[in-house]
């Protein structure tokens, strides 16, 4: 305690640096644990696998799907003995109504009766088994029940889907936990869907978009099952696939791996990124190691000051083991105080951390046994790893040499301290380069020309409840919308920019070409105004026009689709006919590529089909409205209610919708940047303490040099050069390692920044300036001191 109080600066740096490192490390570990805990609450989770579908064209991987063919589950259950059960789901949406309550529901699926018993969703009312066995039955979550029924008991009540189908509520389940890759609000019985579309939906392999989960029997081998699935496909479809020069592969995804490792077409939720989690894991490790290095550095630096203490203790009879225990106890005390302050920091900063990461880690983590285990491991590891070496160094001093003053003339521990400084700043440089690169990539993606105009665009969700007069109403609605001041254009379409086009059509080829050489394209249904509304450039040919009565059998291709079709020049494709699901369409125009999704994704091959009565989205282009967009929204709602009664009025602004795609990248960038900054602060704290001690040790030398005529710049250079060397070495180590990992990270992006020397030079200069300022604060103070005072002070 006397040592802590006597050396207040060193005590503060040690305790605060460790506290900051422990708090940051624990918060990151909690976030990482959250990301890695997805779907681990299912009792049968180790035996549940999602069937993931890969399609090949001419030997090359063409598409990867999270959802697959409708008949997979039943066929696998019948053909493979290891399959105990299968769950099948099909996404749907629409307006659900009960009495006067009506809401558009997006998280809604048709599910077979095996789904609930397979998964461990807590059933609050009703039973899991049999809840979805009959047609026109439904299961809802607790929050959905409150939304429609308030305090009423929903069991037995009837809800309506688009005022077309009625469903009786048979069970209530607890709301989905945050850490699951699959969330729903309403489950509709799959038997209802069979009744609507026919029994083929149970067996067909020509209809994609169905999520299939297999429950394997205990002791079943996943790889063996995958082999049997491949054999099944070969036996049933092998000849057909070879004739078409195509391929089909089914893979089993472990349930617990889906969130971090899966980013396929038709994912039920936006999944996480294992690489980002790994990067944050590295930061957590770096931060705590840097904090421990500070302790080791300061302790070994102070070893000269405590040498006489050790010598006297040994002369008075202390054994080395006793001294090691004494210094380990000091380490224990400092780490204990750091842990207390770290817990306080966690409590104070947890809400900010949740806002930063977009995850809800509640204060209940303090009651989580795994949190305390992590804390105990860090505390004990910190006590021994940071305290053991200084303890052995200090206890190894020979009393005779110490008391004669010989040790003072040595450079004991200098090499170790410099090596640790190199490690600290190599980590700091790597983190700073990483932060700068993430920022550059985000800026690059958000500043690029999208090839499509999304600004000033109000998007309305199309109506689900409609009648036979819908087409007439839509045209009248668009005409009325154009009378609203500030509304320039209105267009109806099946898609808008901001997410992947969901209509994926295969089997498309040129008329007269090899029937076996087909490709898959993304289809966007548009009206006559869509191309102009979004400012897409018609490179060759023409846009859809009401002047041409043949346009219902016309299509527009984008540049990526032309390339996929095999044309080298756009004009070669004009007026060519394509085979599209039994019908023939003429290519009348080529439009420029546009970024339908974020720049993480490559350009998709898009085919635009004329579907004037599209009902998914209405895009409203707003011009000058005197700064009051609310007036446009209010007028739009009035017209919506008049034309489409019974449909909720839902809208969003397209630029906000598009930016949502970057939310995960932005959160990762902010998190990475903040904790990289904390790591640098902790490193500079240690450097400050080390410089402070070293300059104190050289006080007399500085005094003598000043008396002999040395100036402040010369003394400053003398004192700083010993610290510049390890920092420069750290740059040399960090740059190649960081370049490798940065290159790996950028591989995730189709459109990315180029790695150039400036990305390393600027962060390195920033670190050098910060570290030199840290060094200069103490060295200028020492160099400016009165030499007479220093020389006469023992």
């Amino acid at each position: 305690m006397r040592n802590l109080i006597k050396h207040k600066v060193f005590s503060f740096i040690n305790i605060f640096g460790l506290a900051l490192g422990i708090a940051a490390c624990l918060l990151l570990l909690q976030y990482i644990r959250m990301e890695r805990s997805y779907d681990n609450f299912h009792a049968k989770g180790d035996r549940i696998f999602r069937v993931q579908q890969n399609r090949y064209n001419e030997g090359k991987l063409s598409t990867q799907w999270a959802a697959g063919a409708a008949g997979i589950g039943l066929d696998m259950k019948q053909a493979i003995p290891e399959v105990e059960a299968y769950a099948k789901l099909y996404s749907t949406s629409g307006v659900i109504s009960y009495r006067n309550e009506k809401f558009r529901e997006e998280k809604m699926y048709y599910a077979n009766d095996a789904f609930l018993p397979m998964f461990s969703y807590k059933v609050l009312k009703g039973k899991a088994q049999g809840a979805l066995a009959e047609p026109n039955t439904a299961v809802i979550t607790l929050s959905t029940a409150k939304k429609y029924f308030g305090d009423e008991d929903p069991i037995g009540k009837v809800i309506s889907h688009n005022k077309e189908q009625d469903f009786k509520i048979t069970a209530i389940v607890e709301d989905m936990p945050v850490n699951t890759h699959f969330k729903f609000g309403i489950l509709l019985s799959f038997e209802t869907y069979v009744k609507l579309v026919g029994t083929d939906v149970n067996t067909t392999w020509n209809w994609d978009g169905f999520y299939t989960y297999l429950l394997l029997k205990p002791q079943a081998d996943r790889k063996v099952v995958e082999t049997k699935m491949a054999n099944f496909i070969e036996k049933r479809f092998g000849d057909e696939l070879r004739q078409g020069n195509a391929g089909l592969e089914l893979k089993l995804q472990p349930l617990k791996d889906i969130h971090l490792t899966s980013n396929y077409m038709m994912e039920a939720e936006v999944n996480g990124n294992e690489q980002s989690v790994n990067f944050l894991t590295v930061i957590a490790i770096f931060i705590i190691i840097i904090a421990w290095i500070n302790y080791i550095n300061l302790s070994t630096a102070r070893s000269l000051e405590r040498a006489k203490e050790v010598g006297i203790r040994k002369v008075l009879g202390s054994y080395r083991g006793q001294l090691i225990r004494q210094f380990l106890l000091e380490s224990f005390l400092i780490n204990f105080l750091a842990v207390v302050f770290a817990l306080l920091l966690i409590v104070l900063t947890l809400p900010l951390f949740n806002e930063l990461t977009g995850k809800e880690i509640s204060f209940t983590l303090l009651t989580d046994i795994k949190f305390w285990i992590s804390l105990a491991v860090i505390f004990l590891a910190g006590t021994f790893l940071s305290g053991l070496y200084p303890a052995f160094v200090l206890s190894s001093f020979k009393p005779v040499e110490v008391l004669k003053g010989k040790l003072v003339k040595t450079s004991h521990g200098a090499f170790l301290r410099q090596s640790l400084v190199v490690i600290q700043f190599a980590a700091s440089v790597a983190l700073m380069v990483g932060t700068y690169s993430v920022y550059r990539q985000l800026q690059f993606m958000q500043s690029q020309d999208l090839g499509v105009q999304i600004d000033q665009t109000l998007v309305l969700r199309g109506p689900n409840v409609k009648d036979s007069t819908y087409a007439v109403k839509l045209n009248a609605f668009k005409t009325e919308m154009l009378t609203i001041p500030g509304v320039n254009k209105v267009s109806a379409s099946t898609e808008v920019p901001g997410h992947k086009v969901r209509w994926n059509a295969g089997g498309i080829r040129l008329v007269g070409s090899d029937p076996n050489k087909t490709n898959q394209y993304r289809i966007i249904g548009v009206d006559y105004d869509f191309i102009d509304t979004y400012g897409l450039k018609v490179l060759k040919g023409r846009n859809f026009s009401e002047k041409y009565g043949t346009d219902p059998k016309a299509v527009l291709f984008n540049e990526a689709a032309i390339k996929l079709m095999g044309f080298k020049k756009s004009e070669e494709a004009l007026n060519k006919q394509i085979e599209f699901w039994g019908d023939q369409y003429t290519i009348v125009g080529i439009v420029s590529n546009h970024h339908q999704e974020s720049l993480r994704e490559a350009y998709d091959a898009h085919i635009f089909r004329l579907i004037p009565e599209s009902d998914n989205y209405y895009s409203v282009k707003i011009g000058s409205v005197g700064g009051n967009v609310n007036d446009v929204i209010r007028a739009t709602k009035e017209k919506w209610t008049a034309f489409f009664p019974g449909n909720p009025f839902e809208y969003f602004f397209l630029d906000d919708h598009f930016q949502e795609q970057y939310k995960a990248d932005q959160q990762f960038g902010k998190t990475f940047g903040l904790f990289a900054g904390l790591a640098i602060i902790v490193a500079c704290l240690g450097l400050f303490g080390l410089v402070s001690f070293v300059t104190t040790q050289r006080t007399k030398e500085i005094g003598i040099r000043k008396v002999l005529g040395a100036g402040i710049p010369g003394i400053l250079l003398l004192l700083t050069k010993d610290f510049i060397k390890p920092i420069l070495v750290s740059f040399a180590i960090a740059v190649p390692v960081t370049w490798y990992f940065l290159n790996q990270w950028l591989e995730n992006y189709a459109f990315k920044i180029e790695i150039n020397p400036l990305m390393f030079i600027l962060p390195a200069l920033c670190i050098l300036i910060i570290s030199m300022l840290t060094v200069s604060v103490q060295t200028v103070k020492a160099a400016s001191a009165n030499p007479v005072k220093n020389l006469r002070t023992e």
Side-chain angles (χ1 to χ4, degrees):
M1 291 302 297
R2 279 200 307 272
N3 267 308
L4 286 176
I5 295 167
K6 183 180 178 182
H7 303 95
K8 295 181 181 66
V9 173
F10 296 111
S11 299
F12 171 79
I13 290 172
N14 267 333
I15 294 171
F16 182 72
L18 278 171
L20 200 58
I22 291 169
C25 181
L26 282 173
L27 282 172
L28 280 176
L29 289 178
Q30 285 301 308
Y31 171 81
I32 292 160
R33 178 171 163 258
M34 177 77 167
E35 286 291 282
R36 295 192 181 281
S37 71
Y38 270 63
D39 294 303
N40 65 4
F41 59 89
H42 295 290
K44 303 173 186 175
D46 291 336
R47 297 194 286 132
I48 299 174
F49 299 84
R50 186 177 72 179
V51 181
Q52 184 261 317
Q53 181 174 289
N54 296 326
R55 288 193 174 274
Y56 294 83
N57 188 41
E58 296 185 349
K60 296 178 181 179
L61 183 64
S62 59
T63 55
Q64 293 183 287
W65 294 76
I72 289 175
L74 181 60
D75 280 341
M76 295 304 105
K77 174 73 169 64
Q78 293 175 344
I80 302 175
E82 289 89 343
V83 177
E84 183 177 310
Y86 74 93
K88 180 160 70 172
L89 301 106
Y90 187 68
S91 177
T92 186
S93 63
V95 175
I96 296 293
S97 56
Y98 174 73
R99 294 179 181 171
N100 295 325
E101 299 292 340
K102 59 179 182 291
F103 299 93
R104 184 191 299 275
E105 297 290 347
E106 301 290 344
K107 299 295 181 183
M108 189 160 57
Y109 297 86
Y110 288 105
N112 68 342
D113 192 48
F115 175 75
L116 281 180
M118 184 184 296
F119 293 85
S120 300
Y121 300 115
K122 186 177 180 181
V123 179
L124 303 175
K125 289 187 177 181
K127 292 183 179 179
Q129 191 70 49
L132 296 169
E134 299 296 325
N136 298 98
T137 54
V139 173
I140 61 177
T141 61
L142 182 60
S143 60
T144 304
K146 289 185 179 298
K147 183 167 65 174
Y148 288 97
F149 303 101
D151 295 329
E152 289 184 57
D153 183 358
I155 300 297
K157 297 288 194 307
V158 176
I159 56 176
S160 175
H161 181 212
N162 292 341
K163 292 187 177 181
E164 295 172 353
Q165 292 282 329
D166 291 337
F167 292 85
K168 184 175 73 174
I169 308 298
T170 56
I172 313 295
V173 300
E174 201 169 54
D175 288 343
M176 305 295 99
V178 175
N179 57 335
T180 179
H181 82 285
F182 184 84
K183 299 179 178 70
F184 63 86
I186 299 176
L187 295 177
L188 308 175
S189 64
F190 199 83
E191 290 302 313
T192 312
Y193 195 61
V194 174
K195 192 169 75 171
L196 288 171
V197 300
T199 56
D200 282 354
V201 75
N202 285 323
T203 57
T204 181
W205 283 67
N206 294 322
W207 190 349
D208 286 331
F210 295 80
Y211 298 98
T212 302
Y213 295 85
L214 301 183
L215 175 65
L216 303 188
K217 293 177 180 177
Q219 311 306 318
D221 189 317
R222 167 192 167 194
K223 294 296 182 185
V224 171
V225 174
E226 284 185 333
T227 301
K228 290 185 177 182
M229 291 166 70
N231 293 338
F232 175 89
I233 291 172
E234 171 59 30
K235 184 177 179 181
R236 184 163 171 180
F237 303 110
D239 292 339
E240 180 184 339
L241 289 168
R242 276 188 290 276
Q243 285 176 4
N245 203 10
L248 174 64
E249 179 184 39
L250 300 182
K251 305 292 288 184
L252 292 181
Q253 290 182 284
L255 186 67
K256 297 177 183 179
D257 292 351
I258 291 173
H259 175 66
L260 285 182
T261 62
S262 186
N263 185 29
Y264 302 119
M265 291 159 60
M266 286 194 69
E267 290 288 352
E269 299 287 332
V270 177
N271 286 329
N273 185 302
E274 188 171 37
Q275 196 175 55
S276 296
V277 171
N278 290 339
F279 277 133
L280 293 178
T281 305
V282 170
I283 292 181
I285 294 169
F286 276 179
I287 286 176
I288 197 66
I289 288 177
I290 287 170
W292 287 339
I293 285 174
N294 285 348
Y295 182 85
I296 295 170
N297 265 344
L298 292 177
S299 297
T300 53
R302 286 185 57 214
S303 62
L304 298 178
E305 185 178 292
R306 303 193 67 178
K308 286 188 178 180
E309 174 195 339
V310 172
I312 292 171
R313 285 181 183 277
K314 281 192 171 185
V315 168
L316 294 176
S318 291
Y319 291 104
R320 189 179 186 191
Q322 293 172 319
L323 291 168
I324 289 172
R325 285 197 296 273
Q326 175 203 335
F327 293 122
L328 280 177
L329 185 60
E330 288 184 14
S331 175
F332 178 91
L333 179 60
I334 289 173
N335 275 272
F336 177 76
L337 291 172
V339 164
V340 172
F341 282 113
L343 287 173
L344 183 61
L345 283 172
I346 289 171
V347 171
L348 291 173
T349 59
L350 192 58
L352 294 173
F353 180 75
N354 286 341
E355 186 178 339
L356 179 72
T357 60
K359 299 290 181 182
E360 193 57 43
I361 303 173
S362 65
F363 284 103
T364 55
L365 74 84
L366 297 177
T367 63
D368 184 350
I369 185 64
K370 291 183 178 178
F371 170 82
W372 291 103
I373 290 172
S374 300
L375 183 60
V377 168
I378 290 173
F379 170 60
L380 292 174
T383 298
F384 285 98
L385 291 178
S386 62
L388 206 58
Y389 181 81
F392 273 95
V393 169
L394 290 166
S395 63
S396 67
F397 294 155
K398 295 177 181 180
V400 175
E401 291 182 355
V402 168
L403 295 177
K404 284 182 176 180
K406 289 184 178 180
L407 193 63
V408 178
K409 298 175 184 177
T410 70
S411 58
H412 200 88
F415 177 76
L416 173 72
R417 288 197 298 276
Q418 290 195 342
S419 300
L420 294 178
V421 168
V422 167
I423 294 170
Q424 273 190 320
F425 280 90
S428 298
V429 170
L431 294 175
M432 180 67 88
V433 172
T435 301
Y436 180 61
S437 302
V438 170
Y439 171 78
R440 282 275 315 275
Q441 177 63 21
L442 281 172
Q443 288 295 105
F444 171 80
M445 291 193 296
Q446 293 177 307
S447 64
Q448 294 302 296
D449 181 10
L450 298 176
V452 61
Q453 296 171 7
I454 63 173
D455 294 336
Q456 296 293 100
T457 307
L458 177 71
V459 179
L460 312 180
R461 293 293 185 95
N464 286 97
V465 180
K466 48 190 184 294
D467 55 29
S468 58
T469 64
Y470 167 71
V472 176
K473 285 183 177 179
L474 172 58
N475 286 329
F477 174 73
K478 289 166 66 176
T479 302
E480 280 295 306
M481 284 293 297
L482 292 172
T483 66
I484 299 174
V487 174
N488 295 338
K489 294 175 184 176
V490 182
S491 174
S493 61
T494 60
E495 296 289 351
V496 292
H499 55 254
K500 188 174 281 294
V501 174
R502 283 158 287 200
W503 185 357
N504 189 70
I508 297 175
R509 62 182 178 85
L510 277 174
V511 171
S513 65
D514 186 345
N516 296 320
K517 291 187 176 182
T518 63
N519 288 303
Q520 290 186 324
Y521 297 83
R522 300 273 172 184
I523 313 301
I524 303 178
V526 301
D527 63 7
Y528 292 103
D529 304 306
F530 182 87
I531 300 297
D532 289 338
T533 299
Y534 279 101
L536 295 175
K537 297 176 183 177
V538 180
L539 303 176
K540 299 290 179 182
R542 63 175 178 83
N543 188 9
F544 294 122
S545 173
E546 292 180 275
K547 296 177 183 177
Y548 298 88
T550 57
D551 272 6
K553 288 291 184 180
V555 290
L556 305 177
F557 272 42
N558 74 346
E559 295 169 277
I562 289 296
K563 184 178 179 181
L564 183 60
M565 187 67 76
F567 294 106
K568 293 182 179 180
K569 296 181 179 179
S570 297
E571 52 267 26
E572 294 175 2
L574 284 179
N575 301 317
K576 294 291 193 301
Q577 289 190 314
I578 62 168
E579 188 80 27
F580 190 144
W581 292 2
D583 289 323
Q584 292 184 356
Y585 294 81
T586 302
I587 303 172
V588 299
I590 314 300
V591 299
S592 58
N593 286 331
H594 76 275
H595 290 286
Q596 175 70 22
E597 302 171 80
S598 77
L599 273 74
R600 181 186 285 268
E601 309 298 332
Y603 290 124
D604 264 330
H606 289 153
I607 295 178
F608 298 88
R609 268 187 56 180
L610 182 64
I611 307 177
E613 66 280 5
S614 298
D615 60 4
N616 287 14
Y617 300 98
Y618 301 157
S619 302
V620 181
K621 277 291 182 182
I622 302 173
S624 175
V625 291
N628 194 351
V629 177
N630 290 330
D631 289 342
V632 174
I633 296 172
R634 197 161 31 249
T636 301
K637 185 176 181 180
E638 289 175 5
K639 296 189 184 298
W640 175 271
T641 305
F643 281 94
F644 305 112
N647 288 280
F649 178 67
E650 296 177 316
Y651 68 90
F652 56 86
F653 287 97
L654 191 56
D655 51 355
D656 294 336
H657 174 68
F658 199 92
Q659 288 300 316
E660 280 290 311
Q661 299 176 100
Y662 297 115
K663 188 175 180 181
D665 288 312
Q666 288 169 337
Q667 286 173 336
F668 170 68
K670 289 177 182 176
T671 306
F672 192 100
L674 174 64
F675 285 92
L678 288 177
I680 293 166
I681 288 171
V682 173
C684 287
L685 268 176
L687 187 63
F688 179 84
L690 196 58
V691 172
S692 179
F693 186 83
V694 170
T695 51
T696 303
Q697 292 292 309
R698 300 178 71 173
T699 299
K700 282 192 174 182
E701 177 191 341
I702 293 168
I704 292 169
R705 288 181 181 275
K706 288 192 74 174
V707 168
L708 295 175
I712 291 178
I715 294 172
L716 186 61
L717 180 62
L718 175 75
L719 293 174
T720 55
K721 68 179 182 181
D722 290 338
F723 294 98
I724 291 176
K725 289 177 184 176
I727 291 170
L728 291 176
V729 171
S730 71
F731 294 162
I733 294 171
V735 167
V737 175
T738 309
W739 182 90
Y740 172 79
F741 285 107
L742 181 58
N743 197 55
Q744 294 293 310
W745 178 69
L746 287 173
E747 286 300 313
N748 292 315
Y749 296 88
F751 298 87
K752 56 197 174 187
I753 55 175
E754 293 291 332
I755 298 178
N756 60 68
L758 200 63
M759 294 169 62
F760 298 91
I761 293 170
L762 288 179
L765 282 174
C766 189
I767 292 285
L768 185 62
I769 291 168
I770 291 171
S771 55
M772 285 302 97
L773 285 174
T774 304
V775 172
S776 299
V777 168
Q778 285 297 98
T779 51
V780 169
K781 182 181 175 182
S784 304
N786 187 338
V788 176
K789 183 180 177 182
N790 290 338
L791 291 174
R792 71 184 182 189
T793 301
E794 278 294 343

